[in-house]
Amino acid sequence: MFSSYDGLCGIGELAERAGVSVKTVRFYSDSGLLPETARSAGGHRRYGPGSLERLQVIRSLRTMDLPVSVVRRILEEEDTAGRAGGALEDAVAGQLRSLGSQLRALRWREAALRSVQECPAAERADRLRLIGAVKAPPSTAPLARFWRGWLPPRMPARSVTAFLEVAIPQPPENPEPGQVLAFARLNALVSRPCGGGGQTQPYAHRAAGARESAVLYAGLAKAYDLAGDEMRQGRDPHPGDALDGFVDAYAGARNTADTPDFRRALARRLGADPRIDRYWELTAELVGPRAGRPEPTPGSAHDWLVAALEAQSGAAQPA
């Protein structure tokens, strides 16, 4: 309660009690956040006993960087319901999301600066240009565009989405300098112009329709998973369930039988296919090793399976 005869106080006293400037109180009043109770005979603002608590609430909300429009919604909800509700919850959740993004960006920038600092002095200018081309936090949109140009044009959207989930590495939340560098190189790789007017497609893509490409990539996904399990155990390429599923994916997409002749022909075709090894090498650097071994990627699993197929096909050929 204020000590004046009418239980009200002026703008100066309110500002002093709240520990803010008169200009701040006037701004909140003019914005409609802190209504005045009355005006004195001289036209000066007068505030009621609840104004101090309301002003403190406003200050707390503004300290969390909430805009005036959001503070107004929170106060209006509290005035109507008698308590804070969904507007405050939504505002806090939004600020936490924003803060999380800012923290990720700061961690990325710190690792990027360390990457520049730790490289030889003669390489720093080039390193800075390479890393500076990537936003913080980084976007994977260039990688998605790269793969949409590489995959069969008539591939079903659901199959494309499923493949992108495993083919596109997500930037780590707390990256090391080497991971920032790997992502920057990956970004540069997929962003550079393709020679010859476009990307050269693998053999299996050239005649693949919607059904064939869906069959192919669904089967490849299963085969890559099985091959990845073998690779994590340190096993060299060999025939087995992973290779059978791999060959079956290509046979099913071409509506043909899995025979020794088909396997020999497939080994030759895959051996002549264009390769994007650098993409998978950088992906492995970005993901990081696990248990002392590089984590398998679809690219390294594909190479493991092709090696298994070539070894088997070579053994099956007549002397």
Side-chain angles (χ1 to χ4, degrees), residues 85-206:
L88 178 59
E89 292 179 7
D90 291 344
V92 170
Q95 286 298 94
L96 285 172
R97 287 193 297 271
S98 176
L99 183 60
S101 180
Q102 292 174 42
L103 289 173
R104 286 194 297 274
L106 288 173
R107 287 193 291 265
W108 191 268
R109 289 180 186 134
E110 179 187 18
L113 289 170
R114 287 170 54 200
S115 177
V116 173
Q117 182 184 52
E118 293 169 4
C119 76
E123 299 176 14
R124 283 179 186 154
D126 290 338
R127 176 77 58 89
L128 183 61
R129 282 192 289 270
L130 179 67
I131 291 178
V134 178
K135 296 188 301 182
S139 170
T140 57
L143 279 63
R145 286 194 296 270
F146 169 82
W147 280 111
R148 291 183 187 280
W150 174 270
L151 295 170
R154 293 173 296 278
M155 188 168 170
R158 181 163 48 183
S159 299
V160 171
T161 300
F163 181 81
L164 294 183
E165 287 180 356
V166 297
I168 297 178
Q170 295 304 309
E173 293 283 325
N174 192 19
E176 295 294 327
Q179 291 175 307
V180 170
L181 181 59
F183 190 90
R185 286 172 170 162
L186 198 57
N187 181 76
L189 175 70
V190 301
S191 300
R192 67 190 181 195
C194 301
Q199 296 179 43
T200 304
Q201 300 298 309
Y203 174 83
H205 293 186
R206 295 173 194 170

Side-chain angles (χ1 to χ4, degrees), residues 221-277:
K222 295 177 182 177
Y224 292 160
D225 281 343
L226 293 173
D229 291 339
E230 299 283 348
M231 295 168 69
R232 290 184 187 95
Q233 298 178 53
R235 294 175 180 168
D236 292 332
H238 65 273
D241 292 341
L243 179 58
D244 290 345
F246 182 67
V247 173
D248 187 62
Y250 283 100
R254 304 196 69 79
N255 197 27
T256 189
D258 176 4
T259 65
D261 285 342
F262 176 78
R263 292 199 175 207
R264 283 191 289 270
L266 180 62
R268 289 194 297 271
R269 289 167 181 165
L270 294 179
D273 265 347
R275 301 170 66 88
I276 50 175
D277 291 347

Side-chain angles (χ1 to χ4, degrees), residues 57-67 74 88 91-92 95:
V57 170
I58 294 170
R59 285 191 63 202
S60 297
L61 294 172
R62 292 287 289 157
T63 299
M64 292 191 295
D65 288 334
L66 296 179
I74 294 171
L88 178 59
V92 170
Q95 286 298 94

